[in-house]
Amino acid sequence: MQMNFSLKLSQTQKLVMTPELRQAITILQLSTLELDQYIENQLLENPLLDVNEDIFKNEDSAEKVEEKEDDNIDWDEYFQDEANSTPIRVQRERKEEGVGYENFVSSTPSLQEHLMMQLHISSVSKTALKIGEFLIGNLDKNGYLAITIKEVARLLKVGENEVEEALKIIQSFDPPGVGARNLTECLLIQIEQKGINTPKIKDLVKNHLIDLAEARFPRIAEALNISLTEVQNLKDILVTLDPKPGRNFTSANDVHYIIPDAVIEKVGSEYLVIMNDTVSPRLSINAYYRSLLTSEDKESNIAKFLSNRLDSALWLIKSIEQRRITLHKVIRSIADVQKDFLDNGLMYLKPLTMKQIADMVGVHESTVSRAISGKYVQTPRGVFELKFFFQSGLDNVNGTTTSSESIKKMMQEMIEEEDPYNPLSDQKIADILKEKGISISRRTVSKYREEIGILSSTKRKRY
């Protein structure tokens, strides 16, 4: 067989991940706050970027600033060694911002601050004060002591008895139960402070908390020699206590609010999507650098540097605007599909997949996934993460589908209306849903029930 070598030309199309494309993908999946921080970083790195705002009162003041900057900067000297390195920022005159009323609102005190205030007004010795401050600093966010007495005594070089006395002082503070080392001690402290004298309740807390959590009432009744009704009454008292006394206080790492990326408002019978452009500033090209670029020699280092930065700035502005357009189209499509939910509530939430939205918008499914990542929308029904609207569903006997969130809502309503002395089992709930035309198995009912935090029928039963 004869073998020959030959050259052949052919055209092919393939996607190349350029730096600009990677930047566009990154910007698309950023949330509003992350995008704002990203823009701030780009403003520091690229001198040609400017915030589109009314910085100057008139054109004359703008020309004066440009002339002043032109006189102060020796461009040839600057670009002699660093033609493509650190960019320069032209100092811009900004509007004087007024002080908002929110700056006068004091923050909620943290758990440590609340306890420190009580400790400092208490009549204690200097040693107890020192130990108490150390103990308060070692409380977790739920108010439990996260260090042992022995470790405290070793670190502070004091006796364990002194640490115990200081801990008892902290345990007498508000909120009740703070400073406990475990759940049992936390509940016992609250029982003492609230003056609960119900017989057997301390025995129940000390020896039968696990049985109580598993709803093993007969075993508890036999061990304490009381009736099932009395066990139920003791449980009703315990559920009024707070197992996490510190959770009602703020923490430095808490997220206090969510800024929605868009707002869906109802106007007449239609829903409008309004993008939230108030957080991230609109960008433009700085007029001074733009004029400098046109006046410089095209082969100079200054012109090459500014041309490079201009391309980067233009691509960034284009990527941000493309993100806004894509996100608007995605949210608009979601609002069209979930119109019944917006009108009537959770029971009317429809099953939805990213592929459906991708087909409606005309983009790839991965683009939709990036667009909804970490994004929130404000609707007449509340603020929701965009991923909330993408729910799986179950087939109905009439050929339609019902979303999982709608089924969970139906289950929750059924359990709220059930007889507490004869609660609905998972199989009974499945049978009721099948009567309504929803094909669902007992195992799926059990999974949904656990996802919404509802106990099983044996644990919900009252005696």
Side-chain angles (χ1 to χ4, degrees):
M1 182 178 64
Q2 185 178 3
M3 298 180 62
N4 295 324
F5 295 95
S6 62
L7 295 176
K8 183 180 180 181
L9 294 177
S10 63
Q11 289 183 338
T12 60
Q13 288 184 340
K14 63 179 180 179
L15 181 64
V16 179
M17 289 293 289
T18 61
E20 292 81 7
L21 181 57
R22 287 177 179 159
Q23 182 187 55
I25 292 174
T26 300
I27 290 175
L28 178 60
Q29 60 190 11
L30 293 179
S31 65
T32 299
L33 294 178
E34 292 171 340
L35 179 62
D36 183 51
Q37 184 61 47
Y38 185 84
I39 291 175
E40 288 295 329
N41 294 336
Q42 292 298 316
L43 285 171
L44 294 174
E45 295 176 4
N46 195 337
L48 270 74
L49 284 173
D50 204 354
V51 177
N52 191 12
E53 58 185 358
D54 296 329
I55 303 174
F56 306 108
K57 296 296 183 182
N58 50 51
E59 292 296 330
D60 295 336
S61 61
E63 292 175 359
K64 291 179 181 178
V65 173
E66 290 180 8
E67 291 175 359
K68 182 179 178 181
E69 296 294 342
D70 191 32
D71 294 337
N72 293 337
I73 301 176
D74 187 352
W75 290 103
D76 290 331
E77 181 181 352
Y78 178 80
F79 283 104
Q80 184 175 1
D81 297 321
E82 297 181 297
N84 296 314
S85 59
T86 308
I88 311 166
R89 288 289 292 156
V90 176
Q91 185 176 358
R92 296 177 292 145
E93 184 180 338
R94 293 183 177 273
K95 291 181 179 179
E96 183 178 352
E97 296 182 358
V99 180
Y101 287 107
E102 61 272 9
N103 295 329
F104 296 97
V105 180
S106 60
S107 60
T108 307
S110 65
L111 175 63
Q112 280 70 22
E113 292 171 343
H114 183 63
L115 294 175
M116 284 291 188
M117 182 270 294
Q118 298 178 73
L119 179 63
H120 289 162
I121 64 176
S122 301
S123 179
V124 296
S125 63
K126 291 184 178 180
T127 303
L129 181 64
K130 176 184 176 182
I131 299 172
E133 290 177 345
F134 185 83
L135 291 173
I136 291 174
N138 282 276
L139 297 179
D140 62 20
K141 63 180 181 180
N142 294 323
Y144 286 86
L145 186 63
I147 191 172
T148 64
I149 298 298
K150 188 174 181 180
E151 287 178 312
V152 176
R154 179 177 58 82
L155 293 172
L156 298 182
K157 296 181 173 56
V158 295
E160 294 186 16
N161 292 334
E162 294 177 295
V163 178
E164 287 281 1
E165 292 175 2
L167 181 59
K168 288 182 180 179
I169 294 174
I170 294 173
Q171 290 176 347
S172 65
F173 292 164
D174 179 76
V178 71
R181 286 159 283 191
N182 50 58
L183 177 60
T184 299
E185 185 177 18
C186 178
L187 297 178
L188 290 175
I189 292 172
Q190 294 182 59
I191 290 172
E192 287 289 341
Q193 290 191 13
K194 294 185 176 183
I196 300 174
N197 299 318
T198 306
K200 304 290 185 178
I201 191 168
K202 291 185 178 179
D203 292 339
L204 176 63
V205 172
K206 291 178 181 179
N207 305 312
H208 303 285
L209 277 183
I210 296 178
D211 290 335
L212 189 64
E214 297 297 329
R216 294 194 282 259
F217 286 12
R219 180 183 297 183
I220 297 174
E222 182 180 356
L224 299 181
N225 194 23
I226 56 178
S227 65
L228 292 175
T229 303
E230 290 177 298
V231 175
Q232 182 68 63
N233 293 335
L234 293 177
K235 179 185 177 181
D236 293 341
I237 296 174
L238 288 181
V239 296
T240 63
L241 305 180
D242 192 351
K244 298 178 180 179
R247 62 181 170 182
N248 294 324
F249 292 83
T250 61
S251 172
N253 297 323
D254 288 345
V255 177
H256 299 284
Y257 56 87
I258 291 174
I259 298 179
D261 296 83
V263 178
I264 299 177
E265 289 189 357
K266 188 173 185 179
V267 179
S269 60
E270 298 295 328
Y271 286 96
L272 299 180
V273 177
I274 305 171
M275 300 303 297
N276 183 7
D277 298 326
T278 60
V279 178
S280 300
R282 288 297 185 93
L283 299 178
S284 61
I285 303 299
N286 187 282
Y288 169 67
Y289 286 105
R290 184 166 48 192
S291 63
L292 182 64
L293 180 61
T294 58
S295 63
E296 286 291 328
D297 182 12
K298 300 299 181 182
E299 299 300 324
S300 67
N301 289 335
I302 298 176
K304 291 179 180 178
F305 171 80
L306 293 179
S307 178
N308 189 326
R309 292 298 179 179
L310 177 62
D311 292 340
S312 177
L314 291 175
W315 185 264
L316 176 63
I317 294 173
K318 179 181 178 182
S319 298
I320 294 174
E321 185 61 24
Q322 185 62 41
R323 170 193 181 272
R324 182 179 181 277
I325 294 173
T326 302
L327 191 56
H328 182 274
K329 290 181 179 179
V330 169
I331 297 175
R332 173 74 266 170
S333 300
I334 292 175
D336 291 339
V337 175
Q338 302 293 0
K339 189 174 185 298
D340 290 340
F341 162 75
L342 298 174
D343 286 334
N344 304 308
L346 188 60
M347 295 288 290
Y348 295 86
L349 185 66
K350 296 180 180 179
L352 184 63
T353 63
M354 294 184 189
K355 189 176 186 309
Q356 290 176 258
I357 298 298
D359 294 339
M360 295 174 65
V361 177
V363 296
H364 193 270
E365 188 175 346
S366 61
T367 302
V368 176
S369 177
R370 292 188 180 96
I372 67 174
S373 177
K375 313 294 194 308
Y376 290 81
V377 61
Q378 179 179 324
T379 73
R381 297 289 169 182
V383 178
F384 298 94
E385 188 176 9
L386 288 181
K387 290 183 179 179
F388 167 80
F389 296 99
F390 294 87
Q391 300 287 340
S392 59
L394 297 176
D395 295 331
N396 300 334
V397 293
N398 56 5
T400 60
T401 56
T402 305
S403 71
S404 58
E405 286 295 328
S406 300
I407 297 174
K408 291 176 185 177
K409 181 66 175 178
M410 295 169 65
M411 290 173 51
Q412 192 171 11
E413 292 179 353
M414 283 189 288
I415 292 174
E416 288 175 353
E417 297 174 357
E418 70 181 1
D419 181 6
Y421 296 96
N422 186 25
L424 298 173
S425 64
D426 293 343
Q427 185 60 53
K428 183 62 176 177
I429 294 175
D431 294 339
I432 295 175
L433 291 175
K434 287 179 181 178
E435 292 176 0
K436 296 182 178 182
I438 300 174
S439 302
I440 188 171
S441 65
R442 183 202 61 79
R443 182 179 298 179
T444 305
V445 170
S446 178
K447 183 182 74 170
Y448 287 173
R449 175 180 53 74
E450 292 175 356
E451 288 178 355
I452 57 180
I454 296 179
L455 300 176
S456 63
S457 59
T458 56
K459 295 181 180 180
R460 298 197 310 269
K461 184 177 181 179
R462 294 184 62 84
Y463 293 90

